[in-house]
Amino acid sequence: MPATTTLVGRFRFASATDRWWWSDHMFLIHGMQPGDVVPTRELLLAHVQPDDRPAVADALEHSLEGSDPRGCEYSLLDLAGKAHRVALAVGGDGGGDVTGFLVDVTAARDALLAERVNSDLALALESHAAIDQAKGILMLIYGVDDEAAFALLKQSSQRHNVRLRTLAGRVIDAAADGLDAGARERLDEALCSAFAEDALPAQACRGPLLELCAEVVDDRSILRVSGRVDLSNRDDLSSAITLAMLRATEACTVTIDLRGVVRIGSAAADVLTTALRQSAAHGITMTIIGGGVPVDGPASADRSPVASHS
């Protein structure tokens, strides 16, 4: 029979005589030919997986009371040892006569599972293609390798609580108008700007306003920061500084302008100290201006509000 065939078996039994009747399909579901054996309650339960047996027995007992019909789904082993997933519905007439149906839903469940697997696989392939395309765009615009491009995507995805597939789509959309001089700014916006409020974690939505403005002026990559930096948004500052450093070439320097920041606390100081170390490791000249609190790091020029490294 075709794999998609759904068999529906019927059975009856009388509590007074305990005599059972099975339809032909009832026998076939159990891997038998009609009339091969005499159907009994024990035979039915013997083909039920042990873990499911109490539920099936309870449904049969309940039907003898003549109350509302009962149903359950269970795993059935046929005569050849093949597993089937079946649905049982049984009810009595109140006088001791019980009627039931047994539906083999194995093929339907397998078809549904296959459909879900195919759908998930198609989505995974689509997501993989989009992420690869986004990585290629970042590699071209920022001049980084495959690993660094993926790290940028993953970092922004984690910090903004947005799926990689969604973020990759934003990168692709940002480059849709071409990889011209404005493409870098559009990518900065896609990776660094705040997402819609309902896409942000609740804690981040309640955090203080932080404004980040990046530009390149006279071979200098400049990041202007204003607002307040604390634990809820320091990752945004870190991500923006990373992008500012990616803008830097051998002839370029990075300036982090903090004069618009209300206060530089320990959260921001940690980010800035790490940035100074990273700039030193990559041979980038970084200058940090303003903030009112010195940044103490191995690259600091002094302990004044202006820290720099070259």
Side-chain angles (χ1 to χ4, degrees):
M1 71 190 64
T4 54
T5 298
T6 300
L7 293 180
V8 180
R10 293 180 295 117
F11 63 89
R12 295 192 302 269
F13 68 90
S15 59
T17 61
D18 198 27
R19 294 185 61 181
W20 286 64
W21 171 86
W22 282 10
S23 70
D24 289 351
H25 282 171
M26 191 73 177
F27 282 98
L28 293 176
I29 291 173
H30 287 80
M32 309 169 189
Q33 291 301 312
D36 275 355
V37 295
V38 177
T40 64
R41 179 180 184 276
E42 288 71 25
L43 177 65
L44 179 70
L45 292 177
H47 286 271
V48 180
Q49 289 276 29
D51 290 344
D52 295 331
R53 202 166 290 160
V56 176
D58 180 69
L60 295 176
E61 292 298 327
H62 184 84
S63 66
L64 292 173
E65 300 173 3
S67 52
D68 296 334
R70 279 288 181 92
C72 64
E73 188 173 322
Y74 66 92
S75 182
L76 177 151
L77 284 179
D78 66 18
L79 194 61
K82 180 181 178 181
H84 300 254
R85 197 65 187 175
V86 297
L88 172 74
V90 59
D93 63 0
D97 290 331
V98 175
T99 302
F101 294 88
L102 191 68
V103 183
D104 189 341
V105 297
T106 308
R109 286 172 62 93
D110 289 347
L112 179 60
L113 178 60
E115 182 180 351
R116 288 177 178 172
V117 169
N118 290 336
S119 177
D120 290 345
L121 179 59
L123 181 60
L125 291 174
E126 179 184 350
S127 298
H128 190 275
I131 291 170
D132 280 347
Q133 186 177 351
K135 285 195 301 183
I137 293 170
L138 295 178
M139 291 167 65
L140 182 62
I141 294 298
Y142 292 121
V144 297
D145 59 16
D146 178 274
E147 185 177 347
F150 184 67
L152 271 177
L153 281 173
K154 187 166 64 173
Q155 181 185 58
S156 185
S157 169
Q158 292 171 347
R159 287 176 176 172
H160 293 292
N161 195 32
V162 176
R163 291 180 181 275
L164 268 175
R165 171 67 180 87
T166 302
L167 184 61
R170 293 175 70 95
V171 170
I172 294 170
D173 290 342
D177 293 333
L179 302 180
D180 52 15
R184 187 185 290 267
E185 292 185 7
R186 294 195 298 271
L187 287 177
D188 287 352
E189 180 72 15
L191 291 172
C192 257
S193 64
F195 287 82
E197 185 173 333
D198 59 357
L200 288 171
Q203 183 177 0
C205 291
R206 296 193 298 268
L209 178 65
L210 180 66
E211 295 182 0
L212 303 166
C213 178
E215 59 182 337
V216 176
V217 179
D218 297 331
D219 288 334
R220 180 182 293 271
S221 176
I222 302 174
L223 175 65
R224 293 186 173 87
V225 186
S226 59
R228 184 183 298 273
V229 182
D230 65 10
L231 289 175
S232 71
N233 58 25
R234 69 174 181 179
D235 285 345
D236 294 322
L237 175 61
S238 177
S239 180
I241 292 175
T242 299
L243 288 171
M245 286 194 289
L246 285 172
R247 288 171 173 267
T249 63
E250 293 181 359
C252 197
T253 60
V254 177
T255 298
I256 312 298
D257 187 347
L258 302 174
R259 288 175 292 186
V261 176
V262 176
R263 177 180 176 274
I264 302 295
S266 59
D270 288 344
V271 172
L272 297 172
T273 299
T274 300
L276 285 168
R277 290 172 179 164
Q278 290 175 342
S279 66
H282 291 85
I284 298 172
T285 299
M286 177 174 287
T287 302
I288 299 175
I289 304 174
V293 175
V295 178
D296 185 15
S300 298
D302 53 37
R303 299 183 63 86
S304 68
V306 178
S308 64
H309 176 267
S310 60

